[in-house]
């Protein structure tokens, strides 16, 4: 993420932390990132059971918005707020913001598991708390990498970040398996399973983690925050409703509201970029993109994340909605078996991420970054 790279660039430990502390920081941030990414995908694979549980048909035209926002609400909020929370971490303490994220995420897991309403009210309850839970996820994502950077010496950061990447990537696949197992038993369990880990992680982070980075006074870039948040939300909402039917068409790209949202979102993001070049303390320093390594790294991360996330999403829909039912599996069984069929992808990430981090510390990251992309592209082609 851009905010992670920004925090990495500005990290400057006040004093070298004890050698044991770095492993405490790594284990806690790994738990936090793993918990968040599991929750991102666990809902995706469990959606049929969730909607059956609240007695709502998500395929009815009037309920399509519930389906989309159940999937997208968490991720939209996380994407919008992660940059701002990274800046707040630099200003007020990364550990403080991280601890708050753990607490918010845990409370929302409890509230989601307590859902008692059905129909539209039940859907709105779930969507609302998923959005708030996304705030907790953004706080965790925005500050976990910076905490690791403060805790680890330069020669070991590749290994530490590689292990943290395992949590971020493997968690999205583990959530599919866990959701497939729990959802047919009790759909509320997909939220409840995070509670003990969240409570433990919150207490552990509060007691053991400490700020080793330099905290500096700064003014919040409110105009930059506002244009970035509203612009990105507007753009993502436009894309979300662009894939819904409109009129007689199967897609909504001709919908005047979608066109207005896409255009307005782009204009607001352009205004954000202009503001960032004019204020003394911008939310994001666009001058960082003058560095070829920074620019190329972020573009590569974006493209590989799009490819990985798109493949995961399409495989889940294809397995649950087409392939498994055609091969004799009942719809009640498809979440579990879709998760099982995704296990090979999980194993690949679990094996490669720590090895690549260890190798990048010794030989540099370029050859492994390029090599990984070259292997991924043909492997994703049917």
């Amino acid at each position: 993420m851009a905010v992670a790279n920004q925090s990495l660039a500005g990290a400057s430990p006040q004093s070298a932390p004890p050698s044991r502390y770095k492993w405490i920081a790594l284990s806690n941030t790994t738990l936090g990132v793993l918990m968040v990414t599991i929750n991102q995908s666990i809902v995706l694979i469990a959606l049929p059971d969730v909607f059956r549980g609240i007695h709502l048909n998500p395929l009815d035209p009037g309920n399509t918005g519930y389906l989309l926002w159940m999937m997208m609400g968490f991720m939209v909020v996380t994407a919008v707020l992660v940059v701002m929370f990274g800046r707040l971490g630099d200003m007020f303490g990364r550990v403080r913001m991280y601890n708050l994220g753990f607490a918010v995420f845990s409370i929302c897991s409890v509230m989601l598991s307590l859902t008692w309403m059905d129909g539209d009210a039940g859907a709105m309850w779930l969507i609302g708390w998923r959005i708030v839970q996304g705030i907790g996820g953004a706080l965790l994502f925005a500050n976990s990498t910076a905490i690791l950077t403060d805790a680890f010496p330069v020669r070991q950061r590749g290994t530490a970040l590689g292990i943290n990447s395992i949590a971020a990537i493997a968690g999205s696949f583990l959530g599919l398996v866990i959701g497939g197992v729990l959802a047919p038993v009790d759909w509320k369990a997909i939220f409840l399973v995070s509670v003990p880990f969240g409570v433990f992680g919150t207490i552990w982070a509060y007691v053991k983690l400490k700020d080793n980075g330099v905290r500096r006074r700064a003014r919040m870039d409110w105009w930059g925050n506002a244009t970035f948040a509203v612009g990105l939300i507007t753009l993502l909402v436009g894309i979300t409703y662009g894939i819904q039917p409109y009129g007689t068409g199967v897609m909504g790209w001709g919908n005047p509201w979608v066109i207005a949202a896409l255009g307005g979102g782009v204009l607001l993001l352009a205004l954000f970029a202009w503001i960032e070049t004019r204020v003394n303390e911008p939310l994001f320093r666009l001058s960082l993109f003058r560095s070829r390594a920074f620019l190329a790294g972020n573009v590569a991360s974006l493209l590989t994340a799009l490819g990985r996330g798109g493949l995961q999403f399409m495989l889940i829909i294809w397995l649950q909605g087409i392939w498994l039912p055609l091969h004799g599996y009942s719809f009640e069984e498809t979440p579990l078996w879709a998760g099982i069929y995704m296990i090979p992808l999980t194993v690949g990430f679990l094996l490669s991420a720590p090895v690549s981090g260890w190798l990048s510390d010794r030989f540099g990251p370029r050859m492994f970054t390029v090599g990984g992309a070259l292997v991924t592209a043909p492997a994703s082609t049917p």
Side-chain angles (χ1 to χ4, degrees), residues 38-298:
I38 284 176
N39 271 269
Q40 285 180 340
S41 59
I42 201 171
V43 173
L44 178 61
I45 202 164
L47 278 175
D49 291 287
V50 171
F51 278 101
R52 276 196 294 269
I54 60 175
H55 305 103
L56 193 70
N57 182 2
L59 300 180
D60 284 346
N63 297 333
T64 307
Y66 294 144
L67 175 64
L68 288 173
W69 282 103
M70 196 79 77
M71 293 187 294
M72 297 292 296
F74 181 97
M75 291 180 279
V76 167
V77 171
T78 301
V80 167
L81 295 179
V82 70
V83 175
M84 182 178 71
F85 288 159
R87 178 63 182 277
L88 289 175
D90 291 338
M91 293 169 58
F92 301 109
R94 293 154 185 167
V95 169
R96 179 179 296 178
M97 294 294 107
Y98 179 84
N99 292 349
L100 178 62
F102 239 133
V104 170
F105 199 93
S106 304
I107 292 170
C108 290
S109 296
V110 173
M111 299 307 295
L112 285 162
S113 67
L114 294 177
T115 306
W116 72 92
M117 294 175 284
D118 291 333
D120 295 346
M124 291 301 298
W125 173 274
L126 291 172
I127 292 169
W129 282 110
R130 283 289 286 173
I131 288 173
V132 179
Q133 193 175 46
I135 297 174
L139 285 162
L140 290 169
F141 273 139
N143 295 284
S144 59
T145 306
I147 290 172
L148 287 179
T149 305
D150 292 339
F152 277 83
V154 174
R155 61 184 176 83
Q156 292 182 320
R157 283 178 189 165
T159 302
L161 296 175
I163 293 173
N164 208 240
S165 296
I166 297 175
I169 298 172
S172 63
F173 291 102
L174 291 173
L176 304 178
V177 179
I178 297 170
V181 171
L182 294 179
V185 178
D186 185 351
W187 65 271
K188 294 182 181 180
I190 67 171
F191 304 115
L192 192 61
V193 70
S194 297
V195 174
F197 298 102
V199 172
F200 171 74
T202 302
I203 297 172
W204 186 20
Y206 180 79
V207 173
K208 292 293 187 179
L209 294 185
K210 51 192 173 184
D211 273 306
N212 294 312
V214 174
R215 190 183 306 171
R216 63 185 184 85
R217 292 184 177 275
R219 297 179 63 184
M220 180 59 71
D221 175 17
W222 292 113
W223 283 110
N225 274 285
T227 51
F228 178 78
V230 177
L232 188 56
I233 289 174
T234 303
L235 184 63
L236 292 174
V237 167
I239 294 172
T240 300
Y241 286 96
I243 62 176
Q244 293 189 60
Y246 174 71
T248 58
V250 295
M251 304 288 276
W253 301 115
N255 185 337
W257 289 106
V258 170
I259 296 172
L262 294 175
V266 170
L267 287 175
L268 284 170
L269 291 176
L271 179 60
F272 162 75
W274 180 82
I275 290 171
E276 298 306 278
T277 63
R278 298 296 189 277
V279 296
N280 293 327
E281 298 183 44
L283 172 68
F284 189 89
R285 297 190 180 277
L286 297 179
S287 59
L288 289 171
F289 286 104
R290 295 174 184 169
S291 167
R292 289 179 58 189
F294 183 85
L295 176 61
N298 277 275

